[in-house]
Amino acid sequence: MNKGLALLAIAITLFFYSCSPSREEMLNEISKMETTMKETPKADSVAVTELISAYQNFASKYPDDSLAPENLYKASGLAVGFGRGVQAVELYETIITKYPEYNKVAECFFMEAFTYENVIGNIGKASEYYNKFLVKYPGHELADDAKAAIRSYT
């Protein structure tokens, strides 16, 4: 009986795995969704949620793929643009933590602060994160923007 259950479990796992989309299918679907959103004069909340989910699903299924952090970065940008500050901060943190070598990690630190300031409205957190950014990336092209933001709070 146990052998039969084990075989059934394996069969179910293989069935679900074979039904999941391939890397290329996922990227094609993301591309279609991006095109639709760009062509639509006013993006709706459902489409934004679906695209953010598609980006996250790709990164979840293919965490070692070079496009995983890029998709998370795109998802975080959409979240910021549509007022989903907490979600954006979580996405930036995921990139910073899981992909420290990603070429836009500095921007993620900055955008985390920007999101606290402009989307969430938490100036204390924004100042804290702008300072973290400046400590870590003092010569970055966004350093002057971070300094100006901090000065504006005083």
Side-chain angles (χ1 to χ4, degrees):
M1 183 76 173
N2 287 339
K3 190 175 184 180
L5 286 175
L7 289 173
L8 179 61
I10 291 170
I12 290 171
T13 301
L14 289 174
F15 172 76
F16 282 113
Y17 184 75
S18 67
C19 292
S20 65
S22 70
R23 177 186 183 278
E24 288 71 27
E25 289 170 331
M26 289 181 89
L27 290 173
N28 285 337
E29 185 60 29
I30 287 170
S31 180
K32 287 178 192 173
M33 294 168 84
E34 289 172 336
T35 299
T36 300
M37 189 163 294
K38 287 175 188 171
E39 292 174 350
T40 305
K42 184 179 177 191
D44 67 72
S45 181
V46 173
V48 169
T49 299
E50 288 174 352
L51 185 52
I52 289 172
S53 291
Y55 288 138
Q56 290 177 295
N57 290 338
F58 180 88
S60 178
K61 185 166 182 182
Y62 301 102
D64 297 328
D65 192 293
S66 63
L67 292 177
E70 184 63 26
N71 279 327
L72 292 174
Y73 190 77
K74 288 178 181 180
S76 59
L78 268 178
V80 168
F82 285 86
R84 300 175 185 185
V86 173
Q87 184 178 27
V89 166
E90 289 170 355
L91 288 162
Y92 288 127
E93 276 298 316
T94 299
I95 297 166
I96 290 165
T97 304
K98 288 187 175 183
Y99 305 99
E101 301 303 317
Y102 176 53
N103 66 347
K104 294 179 183 169
V105 165
E107 287 84 351
C108 291
F109 273 97
F110 179 87
M111 287 303 298
E112 199 167 6
F114 177 89
T115 303
Y116 275 117
E117 177 185 15
N118 296 292
V119 181
I120 297 172
N122 186 333
I123 301 304
K125 281 284 196 186
S127 181
E128 175 187 337
Y129 280 84
Y130 279 129
N131 279 306
K132 283 182 183 181
F133 169 78
L134 289 170
V135 166
K136 195 152 177 80
Y137 304 100
H140 192 276
E141 64 185 276
L142 293 170
D144 288 341
D145 294 327
K147 290 174 189 173
I150 292 168
R151 277 194 304 272
S152 74
Y153 306 145
T154 57

